[in-house]
Amino acid sequence: MTVGRFLLFLLFAASLGLAAIARGWVDVPPRFNPWAPLDLRDTPNLLTPFKLHRAQQEPALCQAALATSDLRFAVVADSLPEPDCPIENSVRIRGGEVAFSASFLATCRLAAAYALFEHHGLQPAAQAVYGQPVARIEHFGSFACRNIGSGSRRSQHASANALDIAGFRLEDGTRITVARDWSGSEREQRFLREVRKAACRFFNTTLGPDYNAAHHDHFHLDMGRARICR
Ligand SMILES: [Zn+2]
């Protein structure tokens, strides 16, 4: 068999396998079934980005995914709060295992990415560094109908597709802020870098103090097209 024919055979076998999964002929755990709804408690795998993408196209699917997390949220009707800044497939997040300094508007996809980040990235980092979970997040908000800096490109904040996180409060009351602790004690530095690393796994764009002076006091996390981790 030539290489070309072999690849063709592989492709054929793979599509047969996918068809069999889609029709329910073979039993595949939901985590490994591309068509099964996303369960945000499952350990993320190669299919997670695909499922997140699919969920953003279908509000019902996305809300079903959010319902698997411990987030308390309310579905927000599509609207045009300000000219040029439509809100679509979005929710208002009120809290969950972690409380927020204020409730915030988020595209369903951003909310799902946040839930993955909290469960699989942020809390494990807090446990590893401090031996306790994060109880509260301080943030600067999500929705703002504006461009990036003074430029002409629309910010992900203009569609509630970005969240700016400024700090964390642990269960015992210890407060860690990006502004003070990014260059703080060794432990705080380690925690904030772990948090950034985790954010880069779940959000498309993660920007912090290493990116530029405008981000000296927060992590900007968004689900836009650009993949940046700085
Ligand atoms: Zn931001």
Side-chain angles (χ1 to χ4, degrees):
M1 215 187 286
T2 63
V3 173
R5 280 187 177 219
F6 179 66
L7 286 178
L8 214 61
F9 169 76
L10 272 189
L11 201 68
F12 177 67
S15 45
L16 262 189
L18 284 177
I21 294 171
R23 288 169 184 245
W25 292 340
V26 285
D27 226 5
V28 177
R31 293 178 53 216
F32 298 110
N33 179 349
W35 290 276
L38 181 59
D39 187 325
L40 297 167
R41 289 159 306 189
D42 283 345
T43 308
N45 62 22
L46 281 174
L47 292 176
T48 308
F50 168 77
K51 290 187 178 191
L52 265 181
H53 184 76
R54 224 180 123 225
Q56 183 56 25
Q57 320 298 321
E58 291 180 49
L61 208 59
C62 191
Q63 287 154 26
L66 278 192
T68 66
S69 77
D70 58 33
L71 285 180
R72 279 183 293 112
F73 66 94
V75 175
V76 171
D78 290 358
S79 66
L80 193 66
E82 289 182 57
D84 297 337
C85 290
I87 292 299
E88 289 164 354
N89 189 6
S90 294
V91 295
R92 176 159 290 278
I93 300 186
R94 303 196 186 284
E97 192 190 304
V98 174
F100 295 101
S101 49
S103 74
F104 61 94
L105 193 63
T107 59
C108 191
R109 189 181 186 184
L110 178 71
Y114 169 80
L116 286 171
F117 161 72
E118 180 192 305
H119 192 71
H120 302 285
L122 176 67
Q123 295 297 35
Q127 286 292 353
V129 178
Y130 296 103
Q132 56 176 314
V134 167
R136 182 181 157 97
I137 281 180
E138 293 165 14
H139 67 83
F140 291 157
S142 55
F143 177 68
C145 188
R146 62 169 173 81
N147 291 348
I148 300 173
S150 51
S152 57
R153 271 196 308 138
R154 268 283 180 243
S155 162
Q156 291 297 318
H157 286 292
S159 51
N161 204 27
L163 175 67
D164 290 336
I165 292 184
F168 309 88
R169 205 167 69 205
L170 303 177
E171 212 169 50
D172 72 359
T174 304
R175 194 166 160 259
I176 303 130
T177 66
V178 177
R180 187 189 59 203
D181 299 312
W182 183 256
S183 312
S185 73
E186 191 251 316
R187 202 182 197 189
E188 276 71 40
Q189 285 201 30
R190 198 172 116 226
F191 173 65
L192 289 175
R193 276 152 189 81
E194 284 289 319
V195 168
R196 179 181 61 180
K197 197 166 106 193
C200 289
R201 279 173 61 205
F202 300 106
F203 297 96
N204 287 348
T205 293
T206 299
L207 306 176
D210 278 355
Y211 180 60
N212 64 15
H215 295 82
H216 76 98
D217 60 355
H218 68 278
F219 291 131
H220 166 97
L221 314 167
D222 82 50
M223 289 304 278
R225 271 180 229 273
R227 274 216 78 102
I228 314 173
C229 170
R230 293 277 297 276

